[in-house]
Amino acid sequence: MPVYTVTVATGSQWFAGTDDYVYITLVGTERCSDRTLLDKPLYNDFERGAVDSYDVRVGENLGDIVLVKLEKNKYWVQDDWYCRYITVKTPEGDYIEFPCFRWLTDDKEVVLRDGKAHLPQDDKISLVKQHRQKELDTRRKTYRWKEWQPGFPMSIDANHHRDLPRDIQFDSEKGVDFVLNYSKAIENLFVNHFMHMFQSSWSDFADFEKIFVRIKNTISEYVMEHWQEDFMFGYQFLNGCNPVVIQKCTKIPEKFPVTDEMVKVSLERELTLEEEVKAGNIYIVDFEILDGITANSTDPCTLQYVAAPICLLYKNLRNKILPIAIQLGQTPGEDNPIFLPTDSKYDWLLAKIWVRSTDFHYHQTITHLLRAHLMTEVFGIAMYRQLAAVHPVFKLIIPHVRFTIAINTKAREQLICECGIFDKANAVGGGGHVELVQKAVKSLTFRSLCFPDMIKARGMDNPEEVPTYFYRDDGYLVWDATKSFLSEVVNIYYKNDEAVKADVEIQAFVKDVCSFGMQDFDHCEFPKSLKTIEELVEYLTVVVFTASAQHAAVNFGQYDWCSWIPNAPSTMRKPPPTQKGLADVNLIIHSLPDRGRSSWHLGAVWALSQYQENELFLGMYPDEHFIEKPVKTAMENFRKRLSEINSTIKRRNEGKRLPYYNMSPDRIPNSVAV
């Protein structure tokens, strides 16, 4: 009687093991085995982290094993089980791997294909074609699109984390409870006695140190010491939390009537302002998108304000980017003066603080929430709906959407919802953040997610012109390494462009992203089909880079740059000044966040800057969805190249007072999970 030896690996995460009954059925090209209970006498099967082997006896040889069916039935109470993989040893001594990496919940079954990746057009056996279609039909019913807010990219149809499919939930919901984590952060930062002191202003700038001195690091402390200096203000547009808004100025806008007379004292090359513009030495940051955004009014005791400033910056002879003019509104006029470095110390400082506060809103809502979190969720949902588990692109993408849908669902549940945490301390809370995303979606195009295109579109692509733009330099390195890796893997499975065109699943995937995820917005310009291997590689590079490097670059430096409250105020409690000569320390202190909002802000940027427990960084693929050696070789090549990039960045940072490491691969998680 032929015997098949089945090896079963249980996950090592919390609650992965089960006491339920587990059954297996082997499906071959000739026949199926009986439904067999996997059980050893006097043995605790399927414990967390266990690898157990069982014999499955059959009357006749089953032929080639093409599917494995797993079933779980309740023993006492429902006990979920996480299966990592199944290995089947045939009577002839061959080993067949069946990756799983899924939860079995309730009394449901899971049917697995062998670990080799297959394009849909390469499946010839009727049985596996039917299984593939059934898997996708089930997934489309499970992973449904939903519009959380009008004009937003679509999200998952789930109101709460617990409503999500078990496979995409966090292992422990407590680990991602925003209220709990922010409260813990506030407690760990020893600022809990301030957190309810709303409306209570600080005494002076030094007073902010009361919530800062407990935890310091190199950058945050340097920011505290130098935040008032112009070079620090300009540097943050290059390598701070939001290094995506500065652009080369090719013409001074009519709405920002800066004259040569105003700024000539700041220009060092004996050129006029117009000549400096032509020479490529003038840069601009325009926060027009915040014009008209509703300020937070959820607390009737505290008025909060939002501005839409424009800032002109100058590259001096030492290649430092310095601010030379700031206008706090979009419409020029007597009540909207242009502030200059030659104005009084506190007029100029207050103008810069307003720009920093506006940059904080843009960063949190557009750069971070929309362009990293929500976009990665769109890619993830479309992947689950349109790509079978054996598709090579599914296997490539799944590590890069790990926990993303879960973290976004939790954010909609606790953070950005009505009366959520975002409303407590942010001037664009209470609905302004929704308006801001709705406006920003209109300029969110596919090409704007392609890193080289995004840099070039802002005129920031020449290293000789801006030699200290480390976000750009490191981003190029990681983008190229990621693209090279994905190209190597894609070319294993797609022999020519015709194979891409013939892949119905990949075409359905990109169409789902555009037509449903992005709701076919006229302006989004996302492709609805892919015609070449090159287009597919670029598309996948956007997906992986957005989920990993881009998110890391704008997320994990938040405590560094935003923990010193005056450098990144989450709200302003006085309106933007409409004339010069009125600002003093007292006005600035009463404009900055009060003690309570400062504490919530500090807890937020601390919590958001922390890595997940057991974080997986770029290039780490412990779940072996791929079993093919050429792919494993490509992964190893990827890791080597990332290691070289780490070394390059480390050498560049040596001796720097402001090291830049947000794009260092050893600090880039695979996915958006915080």
Side-chain angles (χ1 to χ4, degrees), residues 477 480-482 484-485 636-646 665:
L477 294 175
D480 289 344
T482 303
S484 177
F485 161 62
E636 189 56 40
N637 293 339
F638 186 35
R639 282 189 285 270
K640 286 178 182 176
R641 190 160 174 186
L642 293 175
S643 179
E644 291 168 1
I645 295 171
N646 284 331

Side-chain angles (χ1 to χ4, degrees), residues 442-487:
K442 294 176 181 177
S443 59
L444 200 172
T445 64
F446 177 76
R447 295 250 62 94
S448 73
L449 295 175
C450 299
F451 187 80
D453 294 52
M454 179 262 284
I455 297 290
K456 190 170 185 177
R458 292 187 287 110
M460 302 296 293
D461 51 314
N462 190 337
E464 293 182 3
E465 291 182 355
V466 191
T468 57
Y469 196 13
F470 306 130
Y471 162 77
R472 172 203 59 208
D473 300 340
D474 300 352
Y476 279 154
L477 294 175
V478 177
W479 172 274
D480 289 344
T482 303
K483 189 174 183 180
S484 177
F485 161 62
L486 293 169
S487 177

Side-chain angles (χ1 to χ4, degrees), residues 471-605:
Y471 162 77
R472 172 203 59 208
D473 300 340
D474 300 352
Y476 279 154
L477 294 175
V478 177
W479 172 274
D480 289 344
T482 303
K483 189 174 183 180
S484 177
F485 161 62
L486 293 169
S487 177
E488 195 174 343
V489 175
V490 164
N491 277 281
I492 293 169
Y493 298 99
Y494 294 89
K495 301 307 178 188
N496 49 47
D497 293 341
E498 292 303 315
V500 175
K501 295 177 189 174
D503 186 341
V504 294
E505 290 181 13
I506 210 71
Q507 301 300 337
F509 166 65
V510 297
K511 187 175 182 181
D512 213 17
V513 168
C514 180
S515 298
F516 289 92
M518 297 304 295
Q519 301 196 60
D520 228 347
F521 293 132
D522 293 337
H523 44 74
C524 78
E525 301 172 7
F526 275 64
K528 290 186 179 179
S529 64
L530 299 174
K531 297 180 175 62
T532 66
I533 290 174
E534 185 179 354
E535 288 178 359
L536 175 57
V537 169
E538 182 182 59
Y539 196 99
L540 297 182
T541 307
V542 166
V543 174
V544 174
F545 188 87
T546 300
S548 56
Q550 181 60 22
H551 176 256
V554 303
N555 182 74
F556 293 102
Q558 290 189 72
Y559 187 79
D560 290 347
W561 296 102
C562 304
S563 56
W564 179 246
I565 307 294
N567 186 59
S570 61
T571 190
M572 296 292 277
R573 296 179 296 141
K574 297 290 182 184
T578 56
Q579 56 183 297
K580 298 184 181 185
L582 299 181
D584 56 18
V585 171
N586 189 55
L587 175 62
I588 294 176
I589 289 296
H590 283 86
S591 297
L592 290 169
D594 54 43
R595 294 168 190 252
R597 288 179 174 83
S598 296
S599 299
W600 273 105
H601 167 90
L602 193 63
V605 298

Side-chain angles (χ1 to χ4, degrees), residues 285-299:
V285 175
D286 187 352
F287 291 107
E288 181 180 12
I289 196 167
L290 276 101
D291 193 28
I293 295 296
T294 305
N296 192 339
S297 60
T298 57
D299 180 357

Side-chain angles (χ1 to χ4, degrees), residues 65-133:
I65 305 298
V66 291
L67 300 173
V68 166
K69 182 194 291 186
L70 286 174
E71 299 170 80
K72 184 180 70 64
N73 291 158
K74 182 170 68 174
Y75 169 66
W76 182 249
V77 293
Q78 287 292 356
D79 191 13
D80 295 348
W81 174 50
Y82 186 86
C83 176
R84 285 181 53 78
Y85 62 82
I86 304 286
T87 301
V88 177
K89 181 184 177 184
T90 68
E92 295 77 28
D94 297 325
Y95 288 85
I96 310 167
E97 295 180 49
F98 293 84
C100 183
F101 305 108
R102 291 182 59 185
W103 288 92
L104 276 75
T105 61
D106 303 326
D107 288 336
K108 295 176 182 174
E109 67 179 39
V110 168
V111 181
L112 306 175
R113 287 273 302 268
D114 73 278
K116 292 180 181 177
H118 299 273
L119 299 179
Q121 61 263 40
D122 295 337
D123 280 343
K124 306 301 180 186
I125 301 172
S126 175
L127 189 66
V128 296
K129 290 168 74 173
Q130 291 172 11
H131 165 261
R132 190 170 192 143
Q133 188 58 50

Side-chain angles (χ1 to χ4, degrees), residues 260-268 314 324 340-343:
D260 185 59
E261 187 68 26
M262 289 178 182
V263 298
K264 66 180 181 181
V265 69
S266 298
L267 308 180
E268 299 179 355
Y314 174 63
I324 58 172
L340 306 166
T342 50
D343 292 336

Side-chain angles (χ1 to χ4, degrees), residues 324-489:
I324 58 172
I326 293 171
Q327 181 178 286
L328 296 179
Q330 292 288 311
T331 306
E334 288 186 10
D335 60 349
N336 188 19
I338 295 175
F339 292 94
L340 306 166
T342 50
D343 292 336
S344 75
K345 173 183 176 180
Y346 292 117
D347 275 346
W348 181 235
L349 181 60
L350 182 56
K352 289 191 294 180
I353 288 172
W354 267 103
V355 174
R356 293 294 310 132
S357 181
T358 307
D359 188 66
F360 178 82
H361 301 318
Y362 188 106
H363 164 260
Q364 290 289 4
T365 309
I366 300 174
T367 308
H368 187 206
L369 172 62
L370 171 61
R371 299 180 69 90
H373 277 259
L374 299 186
M375 280 314 308
T376 303
E377 180 176 7
V378 166
F379 293 133
I381 296 171
M383 178 204 76
Y384 279 111
R385 287 171 50 81
Q386 305 299 345
L387 300 178
V390 295
H391 198 292
V393 172
F394 180 93
K395 292 170 181 274
L396 271 174
I397 294 178
I398 193 168
H400 300 287
V401 297
R402 176 177 178 256
F403 297 148
T404 300
I405 301 172
I407 193 73
N408 287 1
T409 302
K410 204 67 182 174
R412 287 186 287 268
E413 188 180 342
Q414 293 184 320
L415 188 62
I416 58 174
C417 57
E418 189 174 351
C419 301
I421 295 173
F422 202 77
D423 290 356
K424 288 185 180 294
N426 289 274
V428 296
H433 60 303
V434 173
E435 298 170 13
L436 198 47
V437 170
Q438 289 166 335
K439 289 178 77 171
V441 165
K442 294 176 181 177
S443 59
L444 200 172
T445 64
F446 177 76
R447 295 250 62 94
S448 73
L449 295 175
C450 299
F451 187 80
D453 294 52
M454 179 262 284
I455 297 290
K456 190 170 185 177
R458 292 187 287 110
M460 302 296 293
D461 51 314
N462 190 337
E464 293 182 3
E465 291 182 355
V466 191
T468 57
Y469 196 13
F470 306 130
Y471 162 77
R472 172 203 59 208
D473 300 340
D474 300 352
Y476 279 154
L477 294 175
V478 177
W479 172 274
D480 289 344
T482 303
K483 189 174 183 180
S484 177
F485 161 62
L486 293 169
S487 177
E488 195 174 343
V489 175

